[in-house]
Amino acid sequence: IADANAFRFHEGKLRVDVAAGTERVIACERIIFAAGQASGIDADFGLALNRFGYPETVGAAASEEGVFAAGDIVTGTKTVIDAIAAGRDAASASDRCLGGDGDIEECLVDKDEADANIGKINGFAALARKRPMLLDAERRAESFDLADRGLAGADAARECERCLQCDLRERIAEVRPWNTYAEG
């Protein structure tokens, strides 16, 4: 994409001008695609729609019995975690509709017991936290380029070595809610 001016709205739709030769292929194993696009459903679909064209819901239940909706189709563009949470609510409601109790907490994988021997790393307390590679502020202001490029391989591995095995925390000391640290 040539520059930030390549993005514009025309007649209510996003238009993107792509400069020849700027396309690239990125090797990856998984893609989570969440573009926040409209669903394309209309009144002929058979569900009551709100003024934005999204299905009206109570909880996850749509206007037709046995139909559930969740995520961007109901709320419009939001975060992935909001969509996941709404999907879980819809799955629970669907389970109740089918005669279940709505409990979708089934654990399908056995959890391994944490190894209490976390070992010793000399100089651990002095290990500095690695910082992600960030695009400089001037470049961020002028483009839609990825700003936070994460950690490079060696830095990511080093940061993993700082792990204190959080799953052991409850066995090492009593867990105290944040408000118990307040004076008074």
Side-chain angles (χ1 to χ4, degrees), residues 122-164:
N122 289 328
F124 179 81
L127 289 177
R129 183 174 184 178
K130 298 297 182 182
R131 301 288 177 206
M133 297 176 292
L134 299 173
L135 198 61
D136 64 85
E138 292 171 358
R139 179 98 183 263
R140 279 184 269 169
E142 298 173 350
S143 73
F144 286 97
D145 290 346
L146 183 64
D148 184 340
R149 297 172 183 245
L151 297 171
D155 286 346
R158 177 79 58 205
E159 200 57 20
C160 289
E161 291 174 358
R162 291 173 30 86
C163 173
L164 293 176

Side-chain angles (χ1 to χ4, degrees), residues 9-87:
F9 284 92
H10 179 70
E11 295 179 2
K13 296 189 181 206
L14 178 65
R15 301 288 185 214
V16 180
D17 297 327
V18 179
T22 62
E23 302 89 355
R24 59 186 169 161
V25 175
I26 300 172
C28 62
E29 292 180 14
R30 289 182 181 88
I31 296 174
I32 298 175
F33 184 74
Q37 301 290 323
S39 70
I41 66 172
D42 57 23
D44 293 336
F45 194 74
L47 296 177
L49 304 176
N50 65 21
R51 64 187 177 122
F52 303 108
Y54 301 134
E56 291 182 358
T57 59
V58 176
S63 59
E64 286 293 314
E65 186 176 342
V67 176
F68 303 93
D72 288 4
I73 188 71
V74 173
T75 62
T77 303
K78 287 186 92 175
T79 66
V80 170
I81 198 65
D82 285 332
I84 291 169

Side-chain angles (χ1 to χ4, degrees), residues 88 91-93 95-96 100-107:
R88 291 184 57 78
S92 180
D95 183 64
R96 283 190 300 278
D101 61 3
D103 181 6
I104 60 167
E105 298 301 321
E106 179 181 10
C107 182

